[in-house]
Amino acid sequence: MTIMLRPAKERGHANHGWLDTWHTFSFSDYYDPRFMGFRSLRVINEDFVAPGRGFPTHGHRDMEIITYVLEGALQHRDSLGTGSIIRPGEVQRMSAGTGVRHSEANPSATDPLHLLQIWIEPAREGIEPGYEQKAFGDADKRGRLRLVASPDGAEGSVTIHQDTRVYATLLDDEQQVVHRLVPGRHAWVHVARGALTLNGERLAAGDGAGISAESTVTLVGEQNAEALLFDLP
């Protein structure tokens, strides 16, 4: 068994005043050759956005971008004509493909915004850009691994163009979930809130870990944990 731990405090960090951001993997001005991504998972950014502020219009290509809001709301606009608000419990997927431009902002004048932005490398380049947004209630995630993104849209998940499956879970103290890995597959776990143990290793909010050469991933909740699990090729 191989577990690669990524403590929250060792992540890349930048505070721009309106944006306080933490990078699990190398991103923008933060570079660490040890953490360039994990398998097809390229980015996990934890962003805190001040009220009334946001990211101006900018472009992306050939990337599957997933947004997972933890607190507040995110206003999204893009060159596909999409305009939407993403709230906690909702998952947004934007396939950049041949090219898309978008902006993201905190529309509230008073409330902060806390979100995870995730990039997954697509299986192939040059796909048609696309957008999808779906809601997953707490009851669906409590004490179980709820599939929220997959290559075939299984179980009502958003569809991504990569053989990767993303699960979300909410775990009360001592609640346990087990995920079985097919031989040759890998997993990454990111703790969004609270704490948990991963195959006996304790992880707190912001911590992550990569798992290889293991048949099962066992998560046991502590401090009302919220986490994402990525099943990766």
Side-chain angles (χ1 to χ4, degrees):
M1 178 181 69
T2 302
I3 296 182
M4 179 177 70
L5 298 177
R6 182 58 160 147
K9 64 180 182 298
E10 295 180 9
R11 293 176 295 172
H13 180 231
N15 192 331
H16 304 285
W18 66 273
L19 170 67
D20 189 11
T21 180
W22 295 84
H23 309 313
T24 295
F25 304 112
S26 295
F27 184 86
S28 187
D29 294 334
Y30 170 66
Y31 174 74
D32 185 334
R34 300 171 303 162
F35 293 97
M36 298 300 296
F38 184 78
R39 314 301 296 181
S40 58
L41 178 59
R42 179 60 188 84
V43 166
I44 301 178
N45 288 347
E46 183 178 14
D47 293 339
F48 298 84
V49 183
R53 301 297 299 272
F55 303 89
T57 302
H58 58 285
H60 295 286
R61 293 180 63 91
D62 294 319
M63 197 64 68
E64 300 292 290
I65 300 171
I66 295 173
T67 302
Y68 189 91
V69 174
L70 292 162
E71 293 180 86
L74 176 70
Q75 184 176 54
H76 170 93
R77 293 191 177 97
D78 63 39
S79 55
L80 303 175
T82 309
S84 65
I85 300 290
I86 303 103
R87 295 181 172 85
E90 296 181 318
V91 174
Q92 174 209 66
R93 182 270 300 172
M94 186 176 72
S95 297
T98 54
V100 66
R101 294 179 62 77
H102 74 138
S103 63
E104 296 170 309
N106 180 353
S108 174
T110 56
D111 298 331
L113 166 63
H114 180 197
L115 64 96
L116 298 175
Q117 187 169 95
I118 297 150
W119 292 9
I120 295 171
E121 296 173 352
R124 60 184 179 87
E125 297 181 350
I127 64 173
E128 182 179 351
Y131 182 91
E132 196 175 8
Q133 180 178 332
K134 293 191 175 181
F136 303 91
D138 284 2
D140 267 354
K141 295 177 282 190
R142 181 77 58 190
R144 66 185 290 256
L145 289 163
R146 176 60 164 101
L147 186 67
V148 298
S150 68
D152 55 2
E155 300 176 30
S157 60
V158 300
T159 303
I160 54 176
H161 297 86
Q162 177 55 271
D163 184 18
T164 291
R165 289 162 181 81
V166 185
Y167 299 84
T169 188
L170 299 171
L171 296 173
D172 296 332
D173 290 1
E174 302 303 321
Q175 271 191 322
Q176 176 177 296
V177 291
V178 178
H179 179 72
R180 302 195 182 281
L181 285 172
V182 172
R185 302 281 296 186
H186 307 259
W188 185 274
V189 171
H190 179 86
V191 181
R193 281 192 277 231
L196 54 78
T197 59
L198 158 65
N199 291 11
E201 296 277 357
R202 188 179 188 275
L203 303 179
D207 291 346
I211 302 99
S212 298
E214 182 56 88
S215 60
T216 58
V217 179
T218 302
L219 306 179
V220 181
E222 183 183 331
Q223 299 176 5
N224 298 315
E226 181 169 6
L228 296 177
L229 184 151
F230 301 82
D231 186 315
L232 302 153

